[in-house]
Amino acid sequence: ETHGISFRIQISVKELLDTDVLLKLLFHLPVNYPSTLPDISVNSDQLTRAQCMDVKDKLLEQAKKHLSEPMVHDLILWAQQHLRDVIKQSATVRNEKTTLSKGTEDGIWMLLLHLDHMRAKAKYVKTVEKWASNLRLTGRLMFMGKIILILLQGDRSSIKEYLILQKTSKVDVDSSGKKCKEKMMSVLCETEVQSQHKRFQTFEVKEYSTPEELQKEFETAGLTTLFSEFVPSLLK
């Protein structure tokens, strides 16, 4: 009712060399869909990250043509019919310069998440590290006592994509050991990075033994206000 729905669809497409490309499409339909465009995430083991981003961009272009009418089925059909063209175009058009200019279009954004717990900690941490790496996000996964925070910086589209993955993937296990989705996550802050904020150069997993150590991490990054606004209430 408040977040809309998310679902994953896998489709197989015959590609250039007549090999099957398995496309994993993740759709998040907001509450007011189809008046609002869905969020789309594209993944494939056979395509590069850049090609997946190109497919996603083209799907969003198509989505705009179907605004105010149900569109997921049409988008899937379009992907099946046009994947070959998009990949061909991607190979000729994309170079480092276009990647950089595209990445800075929306400015750099920052996301602060709070997780209630991690039962399968090692697997969970590995998954978060992999997502951050794939989406070129930097920041920290922070543990302090029972507090778990994820602080991310990167392109706005990548931040949105990370959120979809975090909400829809089976990242942990429940009390009986079965794989489960993250149900106890809260978004504390999602905002554009300001000039006084320092950019994290890497994504690191860190453990802190005292609240003061955790606070210092935020202060070093120029995020004192962010800490004082959201973290003290979690320490109580």
Side-chain angles (χ1 to χ4, degrees):
E1 287 179 12
T2 54
H3 299 298
I5 59 166
S6 298
F7 55 91
R8 189 190 303 270
I9 291 176
Q10 295 199 144
I11 56 171
S12 186
V13 186
K14 281 271 186 230
E15 216 277 296
L16 298 167
L17 303 170
D18 289 328
T19 54
D20 284 346
V21 172
L22 190 66
L23 270 190
K24 299 166 192 170
L25 302 172
L26 197 57
F27 290 93
H28 173 70
L29 308 185
V31 180
N32 43 2
Y33 167 84
S35 306
T36 304
L37 291 177
D39 278 326
I40 304 171
S41 171
V42 178
N43 282 291
S44 173
D45 293 337
Q46 289 90 359
L47 300 181
T48 65
R49 184 82 207 133
Q51 286 171 328
C52 287
M53 292 294 275
D54 282 338
V55 174
K56 175 186 153 180
D57 290 344
K58 294 291 182 191
L59 282 174
L60 286 171
E61 274 177 33
Q62 291 303 309
K64 286 173 188 169
K65 296 177 185 175
H66 294 283
L67 202 56
S68 298
E69 58 188 68
M71 64 184 80
V72 172
H73 182 64
D74 291 312
L75 294 178
I76 290 164
L77 288 177
W78 190 92
Q80 287 176 312
Q81 290 161 4
H82 294 87
L83 179 68
R84 183 179 297 202
D85 300 331
V86 176
I87 290 172
K88 266 186 179 174
Q89 204 179 358
S90 174
T92 53
V93 170
R94 182 170 289 271
N95 58 41
E96 195 61 32
K97 193 176 172 190
T98 55
T99 309
L100 287 171
S101 62
K102 190 172 173 303
T104 54
E105 212 169 57
D106 277 340
I108 300 300
W109 280 65
M110 179 165 59
L111 178 71
L112 182 62
L113 302 174
H114 174 240
L115 302 182
D116 186 72
H117 61 272
M118 284 183 183
R119 281 199 177 92
K121 184 176 174 181
K123 178 181 172 290
Y124 204 135
V125 168
K126 209 171 177 182
T127 303
V128 171
E129 285 181 309
K130 183 184 165 196
W131 288 342
S133 170
N134 286 348
L135 293 166
R136 294 202 293 274
L137 296 170
T138 60
R140 299 284 184 268
L141 169 52
M142 302 180 271
F143 295 93
M144 207 293 295
K146 289 186 177 178
I147 293 171
I148 307 167
L149 297 170
I150 301 176
L151 180 60
L152 297 168
Q153 292 177 344
D155 296 348
R156 192 176 189 185
S157 59
S158 298
I159 292 275
K160 280 183 175 295
E161 209 165 320
Y162 179 91
L163 266 177
I164 294 174
L165 287 168
Q166 182 81 57
K167 288 174 184 171
T168 57
S169 305
K170 291 185 175 177
V171 285
D172 208 2
V173 295
D174 61 18
S175 52
S176 61
K178 283 185 185 167
K179 288 182 179 179
C180 66
K181 293 177 185 175
E182 179 54 74
K183 297 271 174 46
M184 305 283 283
M185 176 192 82
S186 48
V187 178
L188 300 179
C189 178
E190 187 180 353
T191 182
E192 194 165 4
V193 170
Q194 304 301 317
S195 54
Q196 70 269 26
H197 301 149
K198 291 197 176 72
R199 286 291 310 278
F200 290 109
Q201 298 305 310
T202 57
F203 182 81
E204 293 176 34
V205 180
K206 297 184 85 168
E207 305 226 4
Y208 308 87
S209 46
T210 64
E212 288 73 29
E213 275 183 30
L214 182 62
Q215 185 172 353
K216 194 174 178 188
E217 181 76 77
F218 277 81
E219 286 173 354
T220 306
L223 300 172
T224 307
T225 310
L226 188 72
F227 179 89
S228 57
E229 202 169 331
F230 298 104
V231 183
S233 58
L234 303 173
L235 296 167
K236 287 172 185 170

